[in-house]
Amino acid sequence: MGASVGNAVESHEPARPAGGARMKLRLLGPMKLEREGSPLALPSSRKVRALLAQLALAPAPLSRSQLCELLWDVPDDPRGELRWCLSKLRSVVDEPERKRVISEGDSVRLDLADAFVDAIEIARATGLGLEKQSTERLRELAALLLAGELLEGSEVDSSPAFSAWLTAQRRRLRGCHAALLEHLVTRVPDDEALALAEQWITLAPFDRRAHASLLAALARHGRIGEAEDHLATIVRRFEDEGLDATPLREAWRELREQPDAPARPRSAPWTTATGMTATVTAELATPAGAMEHARRDPARATTRRASIAVMPFVDRGAPTSRPTSPEAASRSAADALAHSLVHDVITRLAQLRSLFVIAQGTVFALHERGIGPEEAARMLDVDYAVGGSVRRSGARIVVEVELSETRSARIVWAESFDSPADDTLVVLEEIGNRIVASIASEVEAAERSRAMLRPPNSLDAWEAHHRGLWHMYRFNPGDNAQAQHYFERAVQLDPTFSRAHAGLSFTHFQSAFQGWGPRESATLAAFEAAGQSLMADDRDPAAHWAMGRALWLHGRQDPSVTELEQAIDLSPNFALGHY
């Protein structure tokens, strides 16, 4: 187990000014290398250029076997060819008193401590948070991305593994570019915002937020006719692709109906994964306003959930033609395993009931059209995307998984798992369990952190629930009281939110169990809140978990165990139920 070879680079180091770097490596567009302002001639070999890019972007040293698997498709002498490529690379990047290609035992790394690498700057800014970058910094990053695709003209057609890696990296950078434009378009003057929205649409033609931003920019310019022509065109394109264009019509209607809209609204109307539209207005800034808004529009009363799309994993070693050899057949088996694993992950995540999970048929249809996780997540307007790959490494199967935030393009979690190639059940059961547990945990942590950054009086039911969770897990009387306050607010905003009722039940359980309040009244309150949770959703494992704990407080051990077993039966990956 370890970091994936294909993971994007993430760094928390400060940005390195391009002008102050001793060496500059441009990977976006045609590859270029400079030392102290003077261009260096790159080797003509595409394998050497691919090796340079792979080492530059790797978050950790790579083993020679990893590099051989990535760059050569069954060569006669992979180690010999790798040594030749490394010697060519050293002749370009090493200096008399500074070796940059570092071999340590069986691993190889590239020392770029004093270098500027455009793709690394993009990854670094994304990892730190695009919202934390200055407007000028976002402009600089956007300019870097306009240079072109990663490694243009340096593709290695004879290596399926490298081609898969390069495709994934390019898709990730396009996702970063779209996220960057989304942040930048809200900060710049109207004329610039209009041009950026058009760039965004070119990059992500089925991203509804991009079209909403363009419509808003046109409306601010008073170009209503152009906006309506654009809407009519894009609605036809969406319908031709089998996509729902209703949210776009709703977004435009809300824009047209806003009285005395400010010249620079805080955000354009946007759509959720469930197809609902929302606009940041003063009416929704308070709980009372939100409740009144929900009363007038019952369709919006349902609590939103964090949404996620789990895209089919790719077979990194997939052959370019129909398999005709035993080795190629094993690769097809890996592809079948990848599909089975994704089906299992989607099913288990849906059983948790805490996430809005896009159906398998939808994600597989997008995958068959060659749409990657980042673009699919924007098309589906979900909060998180999961992508991954499966490859055969000798007698083992290696599964690599990444969880990313759609709007920030930040990689939230990445991991690599390996298992014996002949033990399919272990891959599906053990690795599937670990993937689901990690995704659920990381999404919940991200949502809690986001809720903690929101002004308390602007929280919706989902955010209030997660703010309550943040306090609940601190396990002290003061935070337990705060958690109770936020759970009460969540159920007030949405009485059908079963998880909020379950959380409220647990705060009362803690009061009774820890002696932080009168045991009898706290026990009764825990039982009543658990009952409300079950009434809201009796398929939610958290509801049965809460009832099991409440029954235990009542001294009813047998029905308590029954409820806790029911929680696990409903969702075998519900960790609290096992605890």
Side-chain angles (χ1 to χ4, degrees), residues 214-296:
L214 180 62
L215 292 173
L218 289 170
R220 291 195 298 272
H221 277 274
R223 294 158 62 176
I224 304 301
E226 289 182 51
E228 292 184 338
D229 287 345
H230 175 79
L231 178 63
T233 300
I234 201 60
V235 163
R236 286 195 297 271
R237 289 190 64 188
F238 269 58
E239 291 175 346
D240 288 345
E241 293 291 329
L243 300 172
D244 183 15
T246 302
L248 276 174
R249 294 192 184 96
E250 288 295 310
W252 178 241
R253 179 184 61 79
E254 290 189 12
L255 273 171
R256 294 297 305 273
E257 291 178 356
Q258 287 180 9
D260 302 322
R264 210 63 188 106
R266 191 169 76 177
S267 73
W270 54 277
T271 57
T272 68
T274 56
M276 296 184 291
T277 61
T279 306
V280 179
T281 63
E283 179 187 40
L284 298 180
T286 64
M291 292 178 70
E292 174 61 17
H293 194 74
R295 184 189 64 78
R296 293 199 308 267

Side-chain angles (χ1 to χ4, degrees), residues 407-458:
R407 298 300 155 192
S408 68
R410 181 176 68 90
I411 295 177
V412 177
W413 167 77
E415 190 58 272
S416 177
F417 306 91
D418 66 81
S419 178
D422 59 351
D423 203 344
T424 303
L425 292 178
V426 170
V427 175
L428 289 175
E429 184 68 24
E430 180 181 340
I431 295 181
N433 278 338
R434 295 173 71 178
I435 290 173
V436 171
S438 296
I439 290 172
S441 175
E442 294 293 342
V443 168
E444 186 171 284
E447 293 296 308
R448 289 201 306 265
S449 297
R450 185 177 292 110
M452 291 302 295
L453 297 176
R454 296 274 294 164
N457 65 350
S458 68

Side-chain angles (χ1 to χ4, degrees), residues 528-576:
E528 290 178 347
Q532 291 295 320
S533 183
L534 282 170
M535 289 178 62
D537 185 1
D538 65 359
R539 301 291 297 172
D540 187 345
H544 293 275
W545 163 78
M547 180 56 77
R549 282 180 172 271
L551 288 168
W552 181 84
L553 282 176
H554 274 284
R556 300 167 61 186
Q557 269 69 28
D558 288 344
S560 170
V561 171
T562 299
E563 289 292 335
L564 296 174
E565 288 176 341
Q566 178 72 3
I568 297 172
D569 289 341
L570 287 170
S571 177
N573 292 100
F574 183 59
L576 289 174

Side-chain angles (χ1 to χ4, degrees), residues 353-395:
R353 310 285 281 189
S354 58
L355 295 169
F356 180 89
V357 185
I358 298 298
Q360 176 180 317
T362 300
V363 295
F364 272 75
L366 293 176
H367 177 71
E368 289 172 1
R369 290 164 52 190
I371 296 172
E374 294 81 6
E375 184 181 356
R378 286 186 167 272
M379 288 179 67
L380 297 168
D381 201 12
V382 294
D383 301 306
Y384 299 91
V386 176
S389 65
V390 175
R391 62 184 173 89
R392 188 183 182 95
S393 179

